[in-house]
Amino acid sequence: METTSLTFQSPMWFAALALVPIFGGLLIWAQFRSERLISRVVAPRLREQLAGAVSKSLRIFRAILILAAFSAIVVALARPQYGFIEREIIQQGRDIILAIDTSRSMLATDVTPNRLARAKLFAKDLLRLAEGDRVGVIAFAGGAFLQAPLTLDRSASLAAIDELDTDIIPKGGTNIAEAIRLAMKAFGKGEGQTRALIVLTDGEELDADGIAAARKAQEEGVRIFTVGVGSAEGSLIPIRDDSGRQDFVRDQAGKPVQSRLDASRLSEIATAGGGFYEPLEADTASVVFNKGILPMETTERGSMASRQPLEKYQWPLGVGMALLVVWLLVGERRRQARPTALAAAIAVLAGIPCSWAQTGTEAYQAGNYEEALGDFQSRLEKSPDSAKLQFNAGAAAYKLNKHGEAVDFFAKALATGSPEPEFLNSATYNLANALVRRGEGAEKSEEKKADWKNAISHYETVLKSDPKNKLAEENRDIVKKLLEDLEKQEEEQKKDQQDQKDEQKKDDQQKDDQKQDQKDNQQKDDQQKDQQGDQQNQDQKNQDQKQESGKDEEKKDQGEKSGEQEQQGEQDPKEPGDQKQEPQSQGNEGQDSKQEPGAAPSPTPGEKKEGEIKSLGEEEQAAQEMAAAEEAAEKDGQMSEAQARALLNSLRRDEDRVPLMRPAMQEETLKDW
């Protein structure tokens, strides 16, 4: 089991503690010297009165205080450390290869001091910018050589750059295509835009086609940037001959060669390789890195555990400051050596924050998050613009499940605008985590969705700055899934509520239908009752009509009998008891004589006798109508149209019959006065 021990970062300061006994000896020597001087000036019997106000014990106490304060400050300067914080450092970066032209044309002096020296300076500047990236070096002329493989060791890369000269490649010329092919082998297999090749040359390619090689490299994910070393005017190429004299590179005709920068050729190679061309100037290294390499993707190269020790210099420093304050409050004279002075010194010691008390960071590491949060908040009152204090307070609040306060602290930490990208990513990531937790505790679904959507946005911000941050990516996916589940749950709840409303509406409709059916049944029953009453009334009416019809038949029979009686009376010449009788006309007598005895006399055509009701044809028609009406009534039990018409006709015939029957009845009852 690993134990934590107290260590010192700068132990050489402990050598200053050797001065403590020296200072102590000096103080003792000064005390004895002052006493000897006083004894020479003041008589022994007057010494107590004149010099008795000074307390030797207080003087010794003050000397001890100052020596102890000095010792505490020395210990603080030694930087004591106790405990540590473990951090995991994820190494991420890109692969960069510098291909530097070492042909003799790089000795041209159109740039100071010469082209090759300026190319080396560019390479060193780029190494300082590409911190965290692996860098390799290739030297090329008529051929190519891997001077340094891809490595994170900056010293190895710098040493390889310093060793470059025009003699390192024996074959002359400028073969850019060969340098590109060698760089592809050095990169190996890779995915994504994480590899860059920077070619530093004057562009005088004579032996191969660099454009075709650059196009092939771009297809395999390698971006090529070209840096033109030299000028368009060019210059001679100085060399030394075998005798050591200064000379220039000459052609086959013996004329000095004028080397010029071929910018168009380098621009075509860079375009084919997916990069760009830049002429070599003072700030070209930063331009190429910021515009070309920095926007490229990074790849994770592993993680490394790091321990950061916790500084405890505050402990001895606080003790030293407190001792100095007490030293100032305590005097040497007896009249000042009162309990009030000692009480004041003790109050000052109690009022000053004890250096051995836990700070916020220490309390956080010990798991005392409440005390840590209180310390951070008290310090924020004095320094509200401190981004790190806001961040630490947010971390402590998050541990205490005070996610709302954590969100505020992390948001304020981001609002301070810290220029450190790592700090901004950490604050953004922690803010997203706090938003997720606050959303989980929200009661309303709208608040949940708002916090979770905001958290997803912050996770994506982190991923834009650091695409290989696996934790941010995993958390973002988890929150997206939670948000989708919440939205699905809300949709299901809405659907259930709609189904309940539909069911309630359906139940209400069924109840309304039942009420309507009951109402319709009641109306139907009422109609049936009304129809039954109408049927009964109709039956009663038919029965009454039959009775009336019977009475009419009886009246008809009586009328016929009365007519027969009248006819019989007319046939007899005299009624018994009649004294007078009008003689019949001559025409009648002639007709009577011709008739057979016992035959009833027939009336003359066109004449109508008293007592005659109807002709035979009319009686038969009436009888047929009555028979048809009765037959129809027997069929359906109701009065038909024919029955009603027969009834009306019978009533009309009765009206005609009644006045015809009255004269006969009167003739039977009248007497001859």
Side-chain angles (χ1 to χ4, degrees):
M1 181 177 179
E2 185 179 357
T3 58
T4 303
S5 59
L6 180 65
T7 59
F8 295 90
Q9 185 67 24
S10 303
M12 72 284 297
W13 281 99
F14 284 117
L17 293 177
L19 298 175
V20 173
I22 296 174
F23 290 155
L26 290 174
L27 290 174
I28 295 172
W29 175 78
Q31 178 66 25
F32 282 114
R33 185 173 180 275
S34 64
E35 289 179 358
R36 285 196 303 269
L37 292 175
I38 290 173
S39 63
R40 291 177 183 179
V41 176
V42 181
R45 60 185 180 83
L46 299 176
R47 184 182 301 173
E48 187 67 25
Q49 296 178 359
L50 297 177
V54 177
S55 174
K56 291 183 179 180
S57 59
L58 290 177
R59 180 175 289 179
I60 294 172
F61 179 69
R62 294 185 78 243
I64 293 173
L65 287 177
I66 194 67
L67 291 176
F70 175 77
S71 301
I73 292 173
V74 169
V75 174
L77 291 173
R79 291 180 61 187
Q81 297 174 346
Y82 185 80
F84 55 85
I85 300 175
E86 288 189 355
R87 290 184 177 179
E88 184 179 3
I89 300 175
I90 299 176
Q91 295 180 344
Q92 293 183 341
R94 311 161 190 85
D95 290 339
I96 303 171
I97 290 182
L98 295 169
I100 302 176
D101 187 359
T102 59
S103 63
R104 289 195 298 176
S105 62
M106 294 294 289
L107 296 175
T109 58
D110 50 355
V111 292
T112 307
N114 57 42
R115 296 177 181 177
L116 182 59
R118 289 294 301 273
K120 289 182 179 181
L121 292 176
F122 172 90
K124 292 178 180 180
D125 291 340
L126 189 67
L127 278 178
R128 285 191 291 269
L129 294 172
E131 186 177 357
D133 299 328
R134 294 194 304 173
V135 179
V137 179
I138 290 178
F140 72 95
F145 176 74
L146 184 61
Q147 184 75 4
L150 290 168
T151 180
L152 291 172
D153 190 353
R154 290 291 178 270
S155 60
S157 300
L158 288 172
I161 293 171
D162 289 334
E163 293 175 359
L164 293 176
D165 58 34
T166 56
D167 297 329
I168 197 170
I169 304 294
K171 185 179 180 180
T174 303
N175 194 341
I176 298 176
E178 183 64 24
I180 294 174
R181 286 191 288 268
L182 180 59
M184 296 299 297
K185 293 179 181 179
F187 282 129
K189 294 182 179 180
E191 296 180 357
Q193 295 287 340
T194 62
R195 298 171 292 174
L197 172 62
I198 302 175
V199 180
L200 291 95
T201 180
D202 51 22
E204 290 185 338
E205 185 182 24
L206 303 175
D207 299 333
D209 187 3
I211 298 176
R215 189 176 294 110
K216 184 176 180 181
Q218 196 272 338
E219 292 175 356
E220 296 184 10
V222 177
R223 296 187 66 186
I224 297 178
F225 305 94
T226 56
V227 177
V229 185
S231 63
E233 295 79 9
S235 70
L236 299 176
I237 304 172
I239 58 172
R240 292 187 180 274
D241 57 13
D242 297 337
S243 61
R245 292 182 301 177
Q246 182 74 31
D247 196 2
F248 300 97
V249 176
R250 300 177 182 273
D251 58 13
Q252 295 179 356
K255 295 181 180 180
V257 176
Q258 186 83 7
S259 177
R260 294 181 177 85
L261 173 65
D262 191 353
S264 60
R265 180 77 168 178
L266 294 178
S267 179
E268 291 176 359
I269 293 174
T271 303
F276 55 82
Y277 163 77
E278 284 289 332
L280 181 60
E281 295 178 357
D283 60 343
T284 304
S286 60
V287 172
V288 172
F289 182 78
N290 293 326
K291 291 176 58 179
I293 297 176
L294 193 60
M296 293 173 60
E297 299 176 2
T298 59
T299 181
E300 185 174 340
R301 309 195 182 283
S303 61
M304 180 178 62
S306 174
R307 289 186 176 184
Q308 181 179 356
L310 296 176
E311 298 283 349
K312 302 298 181 182
Y313 65 88
Q314 302 92 342
W315 297 3
L317 181 61
V319 172
M321 297 301 294
L323 292 174
L324 286 175
V325 172
V326 175
W327 177 78
L328 292 173
L329 291 175
V330 177
E332 294 181 354
R333 295 182 178 276
R334 285 194 178 99
R335 59 185 179 86
Q336 293 179 350
R338 297 176 181 177
T340 55
L342 293 176
I346 295 173
V348 170
L349 289 174
I352 297 175
C354 296
S355 61
W356 52 83
Q358 281 187 326
T359 62
T361 305
E362 296 166 357
Y364 184 90
Q365 294 296 327
N368 192 354
Y369 304 120
E370 192 71 37
E371 182 178 348
L373 179 59
D375 179 73
F376 293 139
Q377 288 178 333
S378 62
R379 292 164 64 185
L380 279 171
E381 293 178 358
K382 299 178 182 179
S383 302
D385 296 332
S386 176
K388 293 184 178 180
L389 284 177
Q390 296 285 1
F391 182 91
N392 293 341
Y398 184 87
K399 289 291 186 180
L400 292 171
N401 294 327
K402 297 179 179 180
H403 302 122
E405 296 182 11
V407 169
D408 296 336
F409 284 125
F410 288 130
K412 290 178 181 178
L414 289 173
T416 56
S418 176
E420 301 177 5
E422 184 178 357
F423 175 81
L424 293 176
N425 286 342
S426 299
T428 306
Y429 175 78
N430 288 350
L431 175 59
N433 291 339
L435 286 169
V436 173
R437 296 301 182 188
R438 190 178 72 174
E440 289 178 352
E443 296 180 356
K444 297 181 180 180
S445 61
E446 295 298 329
E447 296 177 356
K448 285 181 181 289
K449 292 194 290 185
D451 285 341
W452 288 350
K453 289 179 180 179
N454 198 3
I456 292 172
S457 176
H458 284 84
Y459 285 133
E460 291 177 348
T461 301
V462 174
L463 289 173
K464 288 180 180 178
S465 177
D466 185 8
K468 299 299 181 181
N469 193 326
K470 300 297 183 183
L471 294 176
E473 184 177 1
E474 292 175 0
N475 290 352
R476 180 198 62 183
D477 296 339
I478 291 172
V479 178
K480 283 185 177 180
K481 183 66 169 59
L482 290 174
L483 187 60
E484 291 176 359
D485 293 341
L486 179 61
E487 291 176 351
K488 289 181 181 178
Q489 185 178 0
E490 289 182 350
E491 291 178 359
E492 291 178 356
Q493 290 179 355
K494 290 180 180 179
K495 186 177 180 181
D496 293 339
Q497 292 177 358
Q498 186 64 33
D499 293 341
Q500 291 178 359
K501 290 181 180 179
D502 294 340
E503 287 290 335
Q504 185 65 29
K505 187 175 181 180
K506 186 176 180 180
D507 293 340
D508 295 340
Q509 185 64 31
Q510 289 179 353
K511 290 180 181 179
D512 294 339
D513 294 340
Q514 291 177 357
K515 290 181 180 179
Q516 186 65 29
D517 293 341
Q518 292 177 358
K519 186 176 180 181
D520 295 339
N521 293 332
Q522 185 66 31
Q523 291 179 354
K524 188 175 181 181
D525 293 339
D526 295 340
Q527 290 178 358
Q528 290 179 355
K529 290 180 180 179
D530 294 339
Q531 290 178 358
Q532 290 177 0
D534 295 339
Q535 183 66 32
Q536 292 177 358
N537 294 333
Q538 187 66 32
D539 294 341
Q540 183 66 32
K541 187 174 181 180
N542 293 336
Q543 188 175 0
D544 294 340
Q545 289 177 353
K546 288 180 179 181
Q547 292 178 358
E548 291 178 357
S549 178
K551 291 180 180 180
D552 293 338
E553 291 293 330
E554 291 179 356
K555 290 180 180 180
K556 181 179 178 182
D557 294 339
Q558 291 178 0
E560 291 177 352
K561 290 180 180 180
S562 298
E564 291 177 354
Q565 290 177 359
E566 288 181 359
Q567 289 178 0
Q568 289 177 1
E570 290 178 355
Q571 291 176 2
D572 293 334
K574 290 184 181 180
E575 289 289 332
D578 288 341
Q579 295 295 326
K580 293 176 70 176
Q581 180 67 31
E582 290 290 329
Q584 295 182 355
S585 63
Q586 199 172 11
N588 289 337
E589 290 177 353
Q591 290 176 353
D592 291 339
S593 61
K594 292 180 181 178
Q595 292 178 353
E596 293 181 359
S602 60
T604 306
E607 294 181 358
K608 189 174 181 181
K609 294 184 177 181
E610 292 181 0
E612 185 179 13
I613 298 176
K614 285 187 181 291
S615 63
L616 180 60
E618 292 176 353
E619 291 178 358
E620 291 179 356
Q621 184 179 0
Q624 292 176 356
E625 291 177 357
M626 288 298 294
E630 291 177 359
E631 183 179 358
E634 290 177 358
K635 288 182 179 180
D636 54 7
Q638 297 180 358
M639 180 181 291
S640 63
E641 184 179 357
Q643 186 176 2
R645 188 165 48 249
L647 179 60
L648 292 175
N649 292 332
S650 62
L651 292 177
R652 291 193 191 98
R653 287 191 293 271
D654 290 340
E655 291 176 359
D656 295 337
R657 184 187 304 119
V658 171
L660 292 175
M661 292 172 64
R662 285 177 182 173
M665 293 175 65
Q666 290 176 0
E667 289 182 1
E668 291 180 352
T669 57
L670 287 178
K671 292 183 179 182
D672 188 8
W673 296 102

